[in-house]
Amino acid sequence: MMEPHSAPTPKKYSKKPKYSKFSQQELPAWKPILTPGWVISTFTVVGIVFIPVGLASLFSSESVEEAAIRYDDKCLNEIHAQNAVAFIKNDMTNKTCTTSWTVERKMQGPIFIYYQLDNYYQNHRRYVKSRNDKQLVNPASEGDTTNCYPQDKTNGSMPIVPCGLIAWSLFNDTYKFWVNTKSLTVNKKDISWGSDRSHKFGSKVYPKNFQLGGLVGGAKLDENMPLNQQEDLIVWMRTAALPSFRKLYGKIETNLEVNDLVEIVIENNYNTYEFGGNKRLILSTATWIGGKNPFLGMAYLFVGGVSLLCAIVFILLYVIKPRPLGDPSYLSWNKNPGILK
């Protein structure tokens, strides 16, 4: 007589993870103890480092010579000021104006020329998206005008290169400078980012049908020059994050001496009157920290001063009212034993 087979033992499944130091949180760890000495030393070091850096930054910023000249109002006479929009839109009116500026302190070359626009929202979502990056870098994509409407094609349905509202609204005011009847040369080479010229604008892409759409915008482009050499366009296409911004126009490589009278001839072409914007011409030198920007130095001084103040407060507390590190009498249940009953 054959014995009946016994039922197989069911396999046990466990959710217990495979042992490892990582899963069991047994990896080596550094757990610093913030002793009074460490805290005071850290605040002191931060203060000692930040305050000299802040002073150096602030001193460097103050040594920058800068002149800001607003001209959108100066370039309108009494008659045109009554209807500035009609004046700026009329191609038949003479928009040349001249202003002068006396150098108060010596400006060492190179002197950077910026134009500043106020109340101009280049960060508007529709404006920022109104471009086609493939078209800018690849000649085979010149017909691709995606995202560029309404400045995508001419009335004859020919693609515009470069398309979009950003390129269409290119700044077109111009400046000429004279000192003692001598013309100053404005160098417009290398005013844009090298990475933009190399990777974002093609060397074989040329403007086509630009400013030939239904609306007339800003400046025109040289159709015989590739986009990677049109540096005014490259600078303009890097949109600003804030409604008040500056963009580099060019550089003056010579020095300007004290009391030099600089005559500036301005072609006031760009329409900011329609939206209440302002235009300024900025002449500025630069130091190792860049242009005039006192905020960075003041921020370093503030953080360094607060750190030193905290260090002094902790030193006083440690001297006046010391207590041993890890004193269990300060635990809440030792202060109020009755709460455990």
Side-chain angles (χ1 to χ4, degrees):
M1 184 175 178
M2 297 182 64
E3 296 182 359
H5 294 285
S6 59
T9 305
K11 195 173 184 179
K12 294 183 179 180
Y13 293 94
S14 174
K15 294 183 179 180
K16 180 179 179 180
K18 184 179 179 181
Y19 173 79
S20 68
K21 289 187 176 182
F22 178 78
S23 62
Q24 298 302 319
Q25 300 184 15
E26 295 178 355
L27 291 174
W30 179 54
K31 300 177 181 177
I33 300 176
L34 296 178
T35 63
W38 271 107
V39 173
I40 293 171
S41 301
T42 301
F43 278 120
T44 303
V45 169
V46 170
I48 291 174
V49 172
F50 274 48
I51 289 178
V53 173
L55 290 174
S57 302
L58 200 59
F59 176 78
S60 178
S61 175
E62 291 300 319
S63 65
V64 172
E65 299 300 331
E66 180 180 293
I69 304 167
R70 180 180 174 183
Y71 65 88
D72 59 289
D73 53 348
K74 294 181 180 179
C75 289
L76 293 174
N77 57 35
E78 294 181 1
I79 298 176
H80 292 147
Q82 297 175 3
N83 195 345
V85 176
F87 162 76
I88 203 71
K89 287 186 174 182
N90 189 349
D91 294 335
M92 304 303 294
T93 56
N94 181 15
K95 299 180 178 63
T96 303
C97 66
T98 303
T99 185
S100 59
W101 165 67
T102 302
V103 180
E104 297 180 356
R105 297 180 183 177
K106 181 179 179 179
M107 301 183 76
Q108 193 80 22
I111 300 168
F112 297 91
I113 307 167
Y114 301 89
Y115 55 88
Q116 177 176 319
L117 300 179
D118 299 320
N119 198 34
Y120 194 117
Y121 289 84
Q122 269 198 323
N123 59 353
H124 192 283
R125 180 175 178 270
R126 186 177 179 187
Y127 185 89
V128 171
K129 291 181 63 178
S130 186
R131 61 187 292 167
N132 190 295
D133 291 325
K134 291 182 180 179
Q135 186 199 58
L136 295 174
V137 73
N138 188 0
S141 300
E142 68 176 24
D144 186 357
T145 57
T146 308
N147 298 328
C148 290
Y149 181 83
Q151 292 301 316
D152 53 347
K153 296 181 180 180
T154 64
N155 294 333
S157 298
M158 298 296 293
I160 298 174
V161 182
C163 68
L165 292 174
I166 305 177
W168 171 81
S169 59
L170 176 60
F171 188 78
N172 61 343
D173 284 5
T174 61
Y175 314 107
K176 294 181 180 178
F177 301 88
W178 299 78
V179 175
N180 301 325
T181 68
K182 179 183 178 182
S183 176
L184 296 179
T185 302
V186 177
N187 181 10
K188 299 178 76 71
K189 184 176 177 57
D190 295 335
I191 61 173
S192 60
W193 290 23
S195 58
D196 287 353
R197 297 194 300 269
S198 302
H199 303 293
K200 292 188 176 182
F201 294 83
S203 60
K204 296 181 180 180
V205 181
Y206 292 82
K208 291 182 180 179
N209 306 312
F210 191 66
Q211 299 295 9
L212 297 180
L215 297 173
V216 178
K220 296 183 179 180
L221 298 176
D222 186 354
E223 294 189 355
N224 298 316
M225 184 182 295
L227 292 186
N228 72 332
Q229 296 181 21
Q230 313 246 13
E231 298 205 46
D232 285 327
L233 173 69
I234 298 173
V235 171
W236 181 258
M237 293 286 283
R238 182 168 283 276
T239 53
L242 300 175
S244 294
F245 58 86
R246 297 178 180 181
K247 290 185 182 291
L248 186 59
Y249 178 84
K251 295 176 286 186
I252 298 175
E253 303 291 351
T254 58
N255 301 336
L256 294 179
E257 303 295 335
V258 179
N259 295 326
D260 276 350
L261 182 62
V262 182
E263 292 188 3
I264 308 170
V265 180
I266 302 171
E267 287 290 338
N268 181 31
N269 299 314
Y270 202 71
N271 183 8
T272 58
Y273 305 105
E274 199 159 10
F275 55 87
N278 300 328
K279 294 187 288 187
R280 286 178 172 83
L281 172 64
I282 311 294
L283 298 173
S284 175
T285 59
T287 61
W288 61 273
I289 203 171
K292 185 177 286 293
N293 182 17
F295 173 78
L296 184 63
M298 295 173 65
Y300 271 102
L301 287 176
F302 176 78
V303 174
V306 170
S307 297
L308 280 184
L309 180 63
C310 290
I312 293 172
V313 169
F314 282 121
I315 289 173
L316 294 176
L317 288 175
Y318 187 66
V319 171
I320 296 173
K321 195 177 180 181
R323 66 182 179 90
L325 185 66
D327 188 350
S329 64
Y330 284 87
L331 297 174
S332 59
W333 52 82
N334 288 333
K335 286 184 177 182
N336 301 296
I339 63 175
L340 297 178
K341 295 180 180 179

